[in-house]
């Protein structure tokens, strides 16, 4: 896999974290799950976390937009 230089740090961090979770879960589930099943569980967990963060980011953006609109209204009244 080729990675752009500016993306290298995030890719290495992602790789490290996926491997960390996979290793821990492999140890925990080694008796009843295959490595592919554990990898699927890890992928699901990271996808879920991504979507939760995305939802939180969108909610934050909505609050900031509302705040900016209200601030603009206050500043227009002052002028």
């Amino acid at each position: 896999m080729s990675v752009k230089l500016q993306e290298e740090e995030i890719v290495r961090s992602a790789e490290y974290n996926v491997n960390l979770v996979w290793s821990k879960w492999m140890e925990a589930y080694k008796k009843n799950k295959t490595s592919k099943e554990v990898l699927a569980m890890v992928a699901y967990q990271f996808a879920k976390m991504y979507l939760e963060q995305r939802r939180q980011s969108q909610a934050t953006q909505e609050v900031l937009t509302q705040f900016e609109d209200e601030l603009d209204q206050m500043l227009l009244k002052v002028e």
Side-chain angles (χ1 to χ4, degrees):
M1 181 167 108
S2 62
V3 177
K4 295 178 184 174
L5 185 60
Q6 63 267 26
E7 295 175 349
E8 186 176 348
E9 182 180 349
I10 192 77
V11 169
R12 288 186 186 279
S13 180
E15 177 186 11
Y16 171 81
N17 284 290
V18 167
N19 285 332
L20 182 68
V21 174
W22 183 82
S23 296
K24 287 181 180 180
W25 287 9
M26 273 303 295
E27 188 63 31
Y29 295 109
K30 66 183 173 184
K31 292 181 181 177
N32 56 1
K33 301 283 184 198
T34 67
S35 61
K36 288 181 182 182
E37 290 172 319
V38 172
L39 185 57
M41 292 166 51
V42 171
Y44 169 80
Q45 185 64 30
F46 275 91
K48 181 180 171 205
M49 287 188 301
Y50 167 77
L51 292 172
E52 288 170 351
Q53 287 297 313
R54 187 171 157 198
R55 185 179 306 141
Q56 288 177 355
S57 178
Q58 289 171 340
T60 301
Q61 185 59 45
E62 289 172 11
V63 168
L64 289 173
T65 299
Q66 182 181 357
F67 175 75
E68 286 178 354
D69 291 344
E70 291 174 10
L71 185 58
D72 286 345
Q73 291 295 325
M74 287 183 218
L75 292 173
L76 287 174
K77 289 180 183 178
V78 172
E79 293 177 359

